[in-house]
Amino acid sequence: MSTKAITAVDRRAETELQVRAAAKMRARGACPALAAPMSTGDGLLVRLRPAGGALTLPQFRALARAAAAHGNGILEITARGNLQIRGLRAETVGQLAADIEAAGIAVPDGPTIEISPLHGLDPEEVSDPAAMELSLRSTLQALLASPRLAPKLSIVIDGGGAFGLSALSADIRVVAQPDTGWLVAINGDGATATTVAVGPAEAAISAVGEVLSLLAALGQGSRARDIDPALLQAHFPALSATRSLPSRAAKMPLTGLHRLADGKTVLGVRPEFGQMRSSDLTALLDLATTDGATAVRLAPERGFFLIGLAEDRVPAMQIAAARHGFGAQPGDNSEHIAACAGAGACGSAFYGTRTLARRILAAAPALFDGSLTLHLSGCAKGCAHARPALTLTGTAEGYELILNGLAADRPDERIAGGRIDFAIERLARSIEDNRGAGESAAACLTRLGAIGVSKALRQE
């Protein structure tokens, strides 16, 4: 057989592996973990969360090198603070895993457990969520490993402090309480979850185990929302008397310089639209190392904290970060845009999401008052944002605009490819012309509705 023929066979075999992986992921509804990568338009994607969301700078640098060596060099941080590496191939996933192990990066098995990003550093922290995670994993090891649990099961442990996790929705929430130990709640965020138990760490762990047992009994794919209220009441008799979960919003934004209560500083950094190239990340980490940084903490809102920078070096670091495509100043409008990898990075995408995002930021500032998220999705899969938003989905014919929905939802308006800049300009002008005193962009769009927005977009 010729070399050319062998290459063709290898490519067919690789494609078949990717198709099988994609089918497996769709069947399980799973997150693309290191052991089960997901097929995407630019190859295989791996999502991982290092233990505690913590990395040393050399470890993060090693991940950047591995992303370039074994993938397409694009890394992403998700809205929940997890790390994604794109463009892998079937034969390079194992090599990536070997590099991760060689760098000493621990990636716990089982469901992802997200904990407060400044754990162990923030003097305002009520209790240590890292210690609680270790106790949970140790005590409930068998339950957490159950194949009957949903692959996307989400667990959040919020230790309190300067950067809370109340905005993260989860199947199970474990929240530190100043006087009573830990509060356990299910199915929601800090404002909507239902509290099932309050007590010391041992009682909280027992309650989490009870919820996991209920989910395992319901079968794979079941989430906390699927637990029958009567069954929940039977397992938690004091449920009706248990106080509701207090809503604790994050006390500080991600990006910018933050002084903790003990005087130490951390710098919050966000890659542009949550995406970064390995070369830019490596350059940033090299500068951060020179300026005294020692560690990184991955954080919700698609970013991370640099730990250990001398405060007098922060202004220069913020300027350098911007040169490499990172936002390190508060109030950046780009934080309100969720953009997928887009054309050029993902073969499924119909347009360059990041290029369009920059044009929209310049042309339509009226959209970015903090009241809405703009989701730029290169195709109908909607990988970058799982919640309803002002969404622009790419198609072979152009774009589909959804005022408040997911990328695959029925569009409120279809826009030809060559008219997208005109359409965005008209949308922004319509908001400016119609917004009432004190009215947000989101409220104005809701009031205008599909008919009003369609009329605005069709005006010449």
Side-chain angles (χ1 to χ4, degrees), residues 28-29 33 60-61 65 100 153 166 257 279 317 411:
R28 295 177 61 212
F60 208 6
R61 196 179 289 109
R65 288 196 303 267
I100 289 173
L153 178 76
S166 64
L257 171 65
S279 56
M317 192 70 212

Side-chain angles (χ1 to χ4, degrees), residues 9 56 62 76 86 160-161 164 293 328 330 358 368 376 391 398 406-407 411 414 454:
V9 170
T56 65
E76 298 171 328
R86 304 189 66 94
R358 297 185 190 103
F368 304 105
L376 300 182
T391 301
L406 306 178
R414 289 184 171 88
S454 179

Side-chain angles (χ1 to χ4, degrees), residues 143-314:
L143 267 175
L144 289 169
S146 171
R148 295 183 61 80
L149 293 177
K152 284 190 174 183
L153 178 76
S154 55
I155 301 174
V156 163
I157 304 178
D158 188 349
F163 196 96
L165 299 181
S166 64
L168 286 188
S169 181
D171 290 285
I172 302 173
R173 305 182 60 81
V174 185
V175 184
Q177 303 293 286
D179 304 317
T180 53
W182 295 88
L183 181 149
V184 180
I186 66 168
N187 187 31
D189 58 22
T192 63
T194 299
T195 303
V196 297
V198 179
E202 296 78 7
I205 293 171
S206 177
V208 172
E210 195 77 15
V211 174
L212 290 174
S213 295
L214 289 175
L215 291 171
L218 287 173
Q220 190 181 57
S222 297
R223 308 293 293 273
R225 60 178 175 266
D226 300 317
I227 301 176
D228 182 84
L231 183 62
L232 194 65
Q233 182 74 56
H235 282 262
F236 297 97
L239 180 63
S240 59
T242 303
R243 59 181 176 176
S244 61
L245 182 69
S247 177
R248 286 208 314 248
K251 298 176 185 176
M252 71 183 196
L254 171 63
T255 51
L257 171 65
H258 305 290
R259 295 178 180 86
L260 302 182
D262 59 358
K264 294 179 182 177
T265 59
V266 296
L267 178 63
V269 177
R270 179 186 286 107
E272 187 181 42
F273 314 122
Q275 302 155 33
M276 52 197 163
R277 294 197 173 275
S278 58
S279 56
D280 290 321
L281 176 58
T282 298
L284 180 74
L285 295 176
D286 288 344
L287 291 170
T289 300
T290 300
D291 287 346
T294 56
V296 163
R297 294 291 180 86
L298 301 176
E301 301 179 23
R302 305 181 191 277
F304 56 88
F305 290 107
L306 283 172
I307 312 299
L309 283 173
E311 185 171 350
D312 61 353
R313 297 301 304 157
V314 167

Side-chain angles (χ1 to χ4, degrees), residues 40-51:
T40 66
D42 56 346
L44 298 176
L45 179 145
V46 156
R47 181 178 301 154
L48 58 93
R49 181 173 179 82

